[in-house]
Amino acid sequence: MNLPIAFKYPKEYFNIQDTLECGQIFRYKVLPSGAYAVFSQDKYAELYYDGDDVVVKTDDGKYFWHFFDLDEDYAAKVKRISAISPLMKQAAEFGKGVRILNQDLTEMIFSFIISANNNIKRIQLIIERLCNALGEDTPYGKAFPSINAMANASVELFTLIGAGYRDRYLYETANALLYFDLSAFDLMDSGQARKQLLAFKGIGPKVADCIMLFGLKRGDVFPVDTWIKKVYHNYFEQGHKDADISRFFCDLFGSDAGLCQQYLFYFERKYRQSEVNIVK
DNA sequence: GGACAGGTGCGGT
DNA sequence: ACCGCACCTGTC
């Protein structure tokens, strides 16, 4: 396999680890060389640093340019978000290398159903076994399974790959998607899309928001997980019930909500662990 | 070895 | 609408 260099991009607002390890993607790994391998549907790329640039090697540069959201001006976003509060400035400075990935919608739906009440290690394991069981061969390994392949699989297959009680959610949603036109989401606003997603088994509020943020390019949503709940109670506590936290942050951050969520999530998980000074 | 994981569905108020 | 609870299973 001899991958061509497709493009380079300045690393200041494109950090490989920040982008891959902030919880939005599960199919990536570190290669022996230290480079990162990234899989998306049936496509593959390798990333590493060369001086002040990220180098992206792939057969499909156009796909991965959009995948890594490289047409967007993150310097402007960071500036805007930093102006909100001292805490947001600190979180944005820490996470400014994060880019919101534009991922495949089908892959997001099934991946985040698997992610519910689960840990990242195991999520990656299940998805890898899912691709091996049902994905098409590519020059770089198995592709993410198609809706047809998912719908033709038995619920026992999903049990076998370790999905646990999510096995029936995968089975039911795959079969429901056979009769659903995914392009219908393009005509919906985020509220409508959310309502539609919630109708599928295994998709609750958090998973729906992740699917919209990473699979439908909806920047105006704010997924709330256990880490974000900690963030809310630590820095934003205003007496909201858990179910109202997402709306609270959406009202606060508007069209930047999704990116703010990534900054706060990554800040709480990676930065705050070191117990350094946090601005309140 | 028990608690915990980037929650959700379900049944009971 | 709004709780409270059970839930697969790999990992620490």
Side-chain angles (χ1 to χ4, degrees):
Chain A
M1 171 169 39
N2 198 6
L3 281 174
I5 293 178
F7 57 83
K8 298 185 178 186
Y9 192 95
K11 69 179 184 185
E12 184 178 8
Y13 293 98
F14 184 14
N15 181 289
I16 301 170
Q17 285 191 8
D18 291 350
T19 298
L20 298 179
E21 294 178 2
C22 66
Q24 53 182 333
I25 180 169
F26 303 108
R27 284 205 298 154
Y28 70 90
K29 64 183 178 188
V30 186
L31 299 172
S33 65
Y36 279 77
V38 177
F39 300 84
S40 175
Q41 34 181 39
D42 60 345
K43 302 179 193 311
Y44 177 80
E46 291 178 6
L47 286 74
Y48 56 91
Y49 293 108
D50 179 15
D52 290 331
D53 291 326
V54 174
V55 180
V56 178
K57 290 173 73 175
T58 175
D59 285 330
D60 200 335
K62 189 177 176 205
Y63 179 83
F64 280 102
W65 180 273
H66 178 250
F67 183 82
F68 289 112
D69 210 27
L70 297 178
D71 281 325
E72 295 283 339
D73 181 358
Y74 277 67
K77 293 176 193 290
V78 167
K79 193 175 174 187
R80 205 159 57 221
I81 292 168
S82 296
I84 296 172
S85 71
L87 174 69
M88 291 314 298
K89 182 179 169 66
Q90 198 174 3
E93 275 302 313
F94 177 70
K96 68 181 182 183
V98 172
R99 303 196 76 92
I100 305 274
L101 300 177
N102 295 123
Q103 302 193 66
D104 176 66
L105 178 57
T106 300
E107 184 167 344
M108 291 301 93
I109 290 172
F110 294 122
S111 295
F112 279 96
I113 286 176
I114 292 168
S115 81
N117 190 27
N118 212 337
N119 59 66
I120 292 179
K121 258 282 183 339
R122 186 174 160 221
I123 296 165
Q124 291 178 325
L125 186 65
I126 295 169
I127 291 175
E128 186 181 346
R129 292 194 288 228
L130 179 65
C131 293
N132 286 335
L134 298 176
E136 299 276 338
D137 281 315
T138 81
Y140 320 107
K142 295 287 189 175
F144 196 90
S146 66
I147 291 175
N148 273 322
M150 294 286 293
N152 286 331
S154 64
V155 65
E156 288 79 11
L157 186 279
F158 298 123
T159 314
L160 195 65
I161 62 167
Y165 60 83
R166 305 162 198 81
D167 52 5
R168 64 186 188 277
Y169 304 155
L170 294 171
Y171 179 84
E172 288 184 34
T173 295
N175 280 276
L177 287 175
L178 278 182
Y179 307 100
F180 187 85
D181 178 9
L182 290 176
S183 66
F185 285 117
D186 298 340
L187 302 173
M188 303 180 198
D189 64 33
S190 296
Q192 295 170 315
R194 194 170 201 252
K195 195 174 172 188
Q196 179 59 245
L197 285 168
L198 290 175
F200 294 108
K201 286 290 161 56
I203 301 181
K206 190 269 178 184
V207 168
D209 284 343
C210 285
I211 292 168
M212 285 195 286
L213 181 56
F214 309 128
L216 285 171
K217 203 170 173 56
R218 304 298 174 113
D220 57 343
V221 302
F222 195 97
V224 173
D225 54 39
T226 53
W227 292 96
I228 289 296
K229 284 175 189 167
K230 288 180 197 170
V231 168
Y232 173 78
H233 293 298
N234 284 341
Y235 319 118
F236 295 89
E237 178 64 61
Q238 290 185 31
H240 292 85
K241 288 175 290 187
D242 283 0
D244 296 326
I245 292 176
S246 180
R247 187 177 313 175
F248 165 77
F249 280 119
C250 284
D251 290 343
L252 185 61
F253 297 134
S255 60
D256 287 325
L259 185 56
C260 288
Q261 192 269 5
Q262 290 290 285
Y263 289 156
L264 288 169
F265 173 84
Y266 196 55
F267 180 72
E268 188 70 10
R269 262 201 74 173
K270 290 281 161 100
Y271 182 75
R272 196 176 177 274
Q273 285 175 351
S274 55
E275 296 291 331
V276 225
N277 294 338
I278 311 283
V279 186
K280 276 260 184 182

